[in-house]
Amino acid sequence: MPNFNTWGGIKPLGDWRDDINRAYDTARLIAEQPTNITLIRAGATLAAQTVRLERSNNIPAELTANIARVAETEVVIIGYRGHPTIADTNVRRGDRFVQAGQTYEVMQVDTRLDRVFAHAKVQ
């Protein structure tokens, strides 16, 4: 019977199942390009949080506003979850934040064992 504790001789499969190791991987990913955001929820301003912001791979939808055509900009927020020393990222659908002069609204939050993915678009 094959040993499923190692997979392809590269990394033990058990490491991939370890939530703590995945949480550390999320912390490393965020540390490569950290961004501080301050979320506004129901009129209240939350404490600043460090996350990673990435442009979405979605092709921007173009909207017609009078004569001009405006492309929507979307970002993905990558946040902490399950890290032993860093608080989980506190983000919810409907939260807003300002980044580089643009106001974003969180449209969707996907919570996983090791990280949080939230999708936001310019308002």
Side-chain angles (χ1 to χ4, degrees):
M1 176 162 202
N3 179 359
F4 289 107
N5 288 326
T6 59
W7 189 258
I10 299 170
K11 183 173 181 153
L13 182 59
D15 286 356
W16 293 107
R17 293 187 314 229
D18 184 340
D19 295 342
I20 298 298
N21 284 342
R22 289 194 307 251
Y24 280 121
D25 183 57
T26 298
R28 178 197 53 76
L29 183 68
I30 292 170
E32 288 175 353
Q33 291 182 347
T35 301
N36 288 322
I37 61 171
T38 302
L39 297 172
I40 300 168
R41 181 178 298 153
T45 302
L46 305 181
Q49 301 179 77
T50 302
V51 297
R52 180 170 177 155
L53 291 180
E54 290 288 341
R55 290 236 183 247
S56 174
N57 288 334
N58 293 336
I59 297 171
E62 291 194 5
L63 305 174
T64 303
N66 295 332
I67 300 174
R69 293 175 63 87
V70 180
E72 291 183 342
T73 303
E74 295 185 11
V75 295
V76 176
I77 301 166
I78 302 170
Y80 297 98
R81 185 153 197 299
H83 194 282
T85 61
I86 302 172
D88 290 353
T89 299
N90 180 5
V91 61
R92 294 184 189 158
R93 188 173 191 270
D95 288 352
R96 293 176 183 256
F97 64 96
V98 176
Q99 182 64 31
Q102 297 285 326
T103 301
Y104 290 85
E105 181 177 351
V106 176
M107 305 307 290
Q108 177 184 0
V109 178
D110 180 12
T111 303
R112 307 211 177 154
L113 291 174
D114 58 337
R115 66 190 67 177
V116 173
F117 289 107
H119 300 267
K121 69 177 182 177
V122 170
Q123 292 300 294

